Amino acid sequence: MTISVFVGTSVDGFIARPNGDLDFLPEGGGEPHGYTEFIASVDAIVLGRKSFEKVLTFEPWPYGAKRVVVLSSRPVDLAAAKGGTVEQMAGTPAEIVSRLAASGAHHLYIDGGITIQGFLRAGLIQRLTITHVPVLIGEGVPLFGSLPRDVRLQHVATRHYPSGLVQTEYRIGG
Ligand SMILES: NC(=O)c1ccc[n+]([C@@H]2O[C@H](COP(=O)([O-])OP(=O)(O)OC[C@H]3O[C@@H](n4cnc5c(N)ncnc54)[C@H](OP(=O)(O)O)[C@@H]3O)[C@@H](O)[C@H]2O)c1
């Protein structure tokens, strides 16, 4: 099982404004920077409930028929994701990964700040691709949070794009 993060942040490390707005990210995802190829390579997108609620405001549903797993400890209206293939799970990151592995998934895409932080703390993320958008927004929803110990990163590549996006790819562990 490969478990990846592919996320866009402000240079000061925020994935959304405090109210959840994403208006500081380039419109339409910005110039091509590997997202299309990345998402084609994943078997399931594991989305925190708050990110799921944000994605529901996008028209149309952006993930097509790709399997999406919404994490929440409470009932979630999955039918609101019209045209999507969406299910719900709860549990520890390790439990979620073993359930998805048992159902045949080989590559997971973990998304949402709190959700990414939980999988990082559990030592389950192997690939981390962060695309920095050239803006400082001062406050917001942080990508990273507290950790029980340092997480050593192995730098794989840094790519930069004409619009100012700077993407850094790391491997963790192994
Ligand atoms: N810039 C980007 O690329 C990017 C990417 C993704 C998201 N975002 C933005 O980030 C914001 C949301 O991020 P966030 O950090 O606030 O939250 P989040 O990670 O999307 O969602 C957190 C929620 O997910 C549920 N959850 C997480 N792990 C769980 C587990 N192991 N078991 C059960 N439930 C679990 C919990 O829901 P319950 O409280 O229901 O139990 C938790 O409150 C949104 O504004 C979104 O648009 C930006």
Side-chain angles (χ1 to χ4, degrees):
M1 176 71 93
T2 303
I3 309 181
S4 300
V5 167
F6 192 108
V7 69
T9 78
S10 62
V11 169
D12 46 357
F14 299 111
I15 59 170
R17 291 196 192 274
N19 65 0
D21 272 5
L22 300 172
D23 60 329
F24 63 94
L25 298 177
E27 212 170 310
E31 67 188 297
H33 60 279
Y35 179 77
T36 307
E37 295 80 357
F38 168 75
I39 199 132
S41 76
V42 308
D43 301 310
I45 302 163
V46 178
L47 209 53
R49 190 258 309 161
K50 294 181 182 179
S51 294
F52 174 66
E53 286 174 354
K54 185 69 182 177
V55 170
L56 285 178
T57 69
F58 302 162
E59 281 285 345
W61 175 251
Y63 301 124
K66 184 78 75 178
R67 183 180 185 188
V68 173
V69 179
V70 179
L71 301 188
S72 181
S73 55
R74 58 179 98 165
V76 176
D77 177 16
L78 301 179
K82 292 193 181 61
T85 305
V86 188
E87 64 203 279
Q88 184 179 348
M89 286 188 189
T92 66
E95 287 166 350
I96 289 153
V97 169
S98 63
R99 255 183 276 166
L100 286 167
S103 70
H106 297 293
H107 187 191
L108 303 182
Y109 169 19
I110 310 299
D111 209 13
I114 291 168
T115 304
I116 292 168
Q117 290 164 30
F119 279 73
L120 271 174
R121 272 196 295 274
L124 289 168
I125 304 291
Q126 288 136 22
R127 293 172 50 187
L128 190 56
T129 302
I130 304 169
T131 305
H132 282 111
V133 177
V135 64
L136 303 171
I137 64 170
E139 57 177 350
V141 178
L143 172 56
F144 296 118
S146 65
L147 289 166
R149 64 190 76 81
D150 292 353
V151 174
R152 296 269 161 210
L153 306 176
Q154 187 189 332
H155 180 247
V156 175
T158 296
R159 296 171 274 266
H160 57 91
Y161 298 87
S163 67
L165 299 180
V166 178
Q167 183 180 77
T168 310
E169 183 182 339
Y170 298 99
R171 262 179 211 291
I172 305 179

